[in-house]
Amino acid sequence: MALYLEGKHHPQHALMPRVILACGERDSVVGYIGGHLTRRFDCEGELQYLYVVPQRRRSGIASALLWLQADWFAERDVSRVCVDVEPDNTVARAFYARHGAVELSSHWMVWTDIRGALGER
């Protein structure tokens, strides 16, 4: 992730700036999300990472992280945001769909306006 933030790990069409946001409990990180600006698929932003430790899944952490990332995009006037999701990852696809993303292709989902995810809090 350090290489990603420094721009040395460079996803296709990725632009700067990039961000990683984390959620901690006590002395541990229990989840994180990351994204960047992009030109891929006519998107302005791309969600690169979203992870929550297995024992804390379905606790609202992923949603809270997504809202923080959506805020970050909105602060940069980014609305169209894409995310790469494995076609057989039904849990992730359902999560993103609940938060307003729609299918772009077999591997990609997109928010036509990520700020729509902000209204779900």
Side-chain angles (χ1 to χ4, degrees), residues 1 13 89 115:
M1 277 192 229
H13 308 285
N89 191 342
R115 292 168 289 205

Side-chain angles (χ1 to χ4, degrees), residues 22-44:
C23 175
E25 289 181 348
R26 297 179 200 90
D27 295 332
S28 300
V29 172
V30 295
Y32 59 84
I33 194 166
H36 56 268
L37 304 184
T38 190
R39 291 195 181 109
R40 191 191 306 239
F41 303 122
D42 292 323
C43 291
E44 301 161 309

Side-chain angles (χ1 to χ4, degrees), residues 1-120:
M1 277 192 229
L3 295 175
Y4 169 75
L5 286 173
E6 293 169 9
K8 295 177 182 172
H9 165 69
H10 199 65
Q12 288 184 14
H13 308 285
L15 305 170
M16 298 300 275
R18 300 166 185 199
V19 66
I20 302 286
L21 304 163
C23 175
E25 289 181 348
R26 297 179 200 90
D27 295 332
S28 300
V29 172
V30 295
Y32 59 84
I33 194 166
H36 56 268
L37 304 184
T38 190
R39 291 195 181 109
R40 191 191 306 239
F41 303 122
D42 292 323
C43 291
E44 301 161 309
E46 183 175 335
L47 180 59
Q48 182 71 24
Y49 303 106
L50 176 55
Y51 177 77
V52 176
V53 295
Q55 60 271 33
R56 295 296 285 132
R57 291 181 183 162
R58 299 200 175 271
S59 67
I61 291 171
S63 293
L65 288 168
L66 181 60
W67 293 326
L68 288 172
Q69 183 71 62
D71 281 337
W72 185 87
F73 285 128
E75 288 168 2
R76 284 151 187 81
D77 203 27
V78 167
S79 57
R80 186 174 167 88
V81 175
C82 57
V83 60
D84 184 6
V85 190
E86 290 293 324
D88 60 347
N89 191 342
T90 57
V91 173
R93 294 181 85 77
F95 170 80
Y96 292 130
R98 276 194 315 277
H99 290 283
V102 296
E103 188 170 317
L104 179 64
S105 69
S106 62
H107 273 268
W108 290 88
M109 296 183 77
V110 64
W111 288 269
T112 55
D113 191 345
I114 191 69
R115 292 168 289 205
L118 295 173
E120 300 172 12

